[in-house]
Amino acid sequence: MSAFVINGGRRISGSLRVQGSKNSVLPILAATFLVCGKSIIHNCPTLSDTNSTIKILKNLGCSVIREGSTVIIDSSTAQGYEIPDDLMREMRSSVVFLGAIIGRMKKAVISSPGGCEIGLRPIDLHLYSMRQLGVNVNEDYGKLVCNVPEKLEGNRITFSFPSVGATENAILASVTAKGTTVIVNAAREPEIIDLCDFLNKCGAKISGAGETVITVEGVEVLRPCEHSVICDRIVTATYLIAGAVTGGDVSLENTNPVHLQAVLPLLEEAGCKVSVRCKTIRLKAPLRLNRIDKIITQPYPGFPTDAQAPFTALACVAKGTGVIVENIFESRFKHIPELIRMGASIKTEGRVAVVEGVERLYGAEVVSPDLRGGAALVLAGLTATGTTVVKNIKFIDRGYEDFVEKLTAIGADIERINIPDDDSVNNVG
Ligand code: EPZ
């Protein structure tokens, strides 16, 4: 097992090009299964999640070649329609393949994705949207067996919650359905827009992406195309916070500041100078951060739940007390006990955390509870006095490409080490 060792207290400064978006490229890679031919996807980050997605595409019969950050997927002869249990367990967001497999094969067999570290992650909205389109969904003994008795028929799909993944599955299953599908209360995240941009380039007829109502006019065939994935807005926020918590000065390139419209003002409230020029965001931090009064996670365009843990690390060392409310996932505070081990002063009650900023944090041995919680512990280690060891970093490797190399390039003292498998560490899968 590997861990990060961080010697804190160094100023993070310099410039960095931000990776492509994990949460955009995963559904787009799934969408290439719908397209018969060779799709070329640029700006695809090398992550364990993208590696898992490529494994699934190969398992479905696609040939996949990676050339740096470009991935070429040829699905011409693909005939698969099952995702085996081990691959589903490797990455629960593989559920986004459901719509693409059904869209192409008119059947699918996947194991139920189950929950994960941040919550139960039910898929009732995904299955509701499939049934609305005429799919028979049988759930038995952990498997979802789906088939289309007649044909995929466009329909109205009204979500009780703007689920990102369910919106993606509804789009993927309806792009080649007969007739028109109207998705009401659709998720508005930039990753939805990027998926629809890709599909429209392939000949789909989707309108309203990024709004609460998306209309999909079914088409017969999708043609392969070339597409460059948007920048990762959560990774951008993470590196900005690395600068913020160390009194640093970071410039991030290849970003889309519009995607951070709910994040940048909070960094300014914390006393940072944030300037935007084209695709570059520059942050200059004060020696001591001001408190952020309230951080309340919401569906986009509200404050993103994925940035909650990194911002909690920032709140730990700000002057004063701030309140954090996590409205999206039911157990997304698991990084807090680990931050407290480093000297943070945080009280939680249900989905509310009250963070009383302290002068400094202290290095400690901590365990990454999930992807963004792990990133928060790295950020805390960057500002802490002394050495921090972050264990269970397989979670972090799911979403942060070349994390050590990139942080080192902007001044961090961080290295990846191997440590014996320690059964005292919570090895949540
Ligand atoms: C996507 O997850 C992202 N993952 C998550 O990022 C992100 O936190 C989330 O959207 C919200 O923005 C990917 O894109 C791969 P949801 P997803 O469906 O699609 C409930 C990260 O750190 N819900 O919008 O699973 C669900 O339980 C990850 O990069 C249902 O009740 O999110 C949750 O409370 C973590 N029934 C809420 O909706 C359903 O059928 C939001 O889930 C589906 C979801």
Side-chain angles (χ1 to χ4, degrees), residues 183-360:
I183 304 169
V184 181
N185 198 21
R188 299 174 56 194
E189 274 70 2
E191 293 77 28
I192 301 287
I193 299 173
D194 204 21
L195 172 63
C196 293
D197 285 349
F198 168 73
L199 287 167
N200 282 337
K201 273 187 202 168
C202 297
K205 289 187 180 152
I206 306 168
S207 56
E211 291 155 35
T212 49
V213 178
I214 296 176
T215 303
V216 183
E217 259 184 77
V219 294
E220 293 283 314
V221 177
L222 293 173
R223 302 176 307 278
C225 79
E226 200 160 345
H227 182 78
S228 190
V229 169
I230 59 172
C231 156
D232 195 307
R233 58 195 170 103
I234 306 302
V235 170
T236 303
T238 307
Y239 285 119
L240 288 172
I241 295 170
V245 296
T246 58
D249 179 352
V250 286
S251 288
L252 300 181
E253 293 150 13
N254 183 42
T255 68
N256 187 330
V258 172
H259 295 166
L260 289 155
Q261 58 192 347
V263 167
L264 299 182
L266 295 188
L267 292 169
E268 291 176 316
E269 184 182 339
C272 299
K273 275 199 178 355
V274 178
S275 54
V276 167
R277 194 163 40 80
C278 300
K279 292 187 170 187
T280 299
I281 303 173
R282 182 174 183 183
L283 176 143
K284 284 184 180 173
L287 271 183
R288 180 83 195 273
L289 293 161
N290 302 326
R291 75 191 186 104
I292 296 172
D293 189 30
K294 278 192 303 297
I295 294 173
I296 302 174
T297 67
Q298 295 290 353
Y300 195 88
F303 182 88
T305 173
D306 295 346
Q308 178 260 107
F311 264 86
T312 307
L314 182 153
C316 288
V317 290
K319 252 183 309 206
T321 300
V323 176
I324 296 171
V325 183
E326 172 54 62
N327 286 314
I328 306 295
F329 289 106
E330 69 270 24
S331 51
R332 205 164 198 180
F333 279 159
K334 288 182 180 163
H335 48 289
I336 288 179
E338 302 300 313
L339 290 169
I340 291 170
R341 281 170 63 88
M342 298 176 73
S345 172
I346 309 174
K347 298 259 184 313
T348 60
E349 182 60 43
R351 293 183 178 224
V352 179
V354 179
V355 185
E356 190 187 343
V358 293
E359 281 277 333
R360 69 187 66 240

Side-chain angles (χ1 to χ4, degrees), residues 22-23 26-27 92-93 118 120-126 161-166 168 189 233 305-306 328-330 332 371-372:
K22 165 180 87 77
N23 291 349
L26 297 185
R92 68 162 304 288
S93 43
I118 62 176
L120 289 173
R121 309 297 289 274
I123 58 167
D124 53 310
L125 299 175
H126 297 245
F161 180 87
S163 155
V164 173
E168 290 163 348
E189 274 70 2
R233 58 195 170 103
T305 173
D306 295 346
I328 306 295
F329 289 106
E330 69 270 24
R332 205 164 198 180
L371 165 54
R372 307 301 175 185

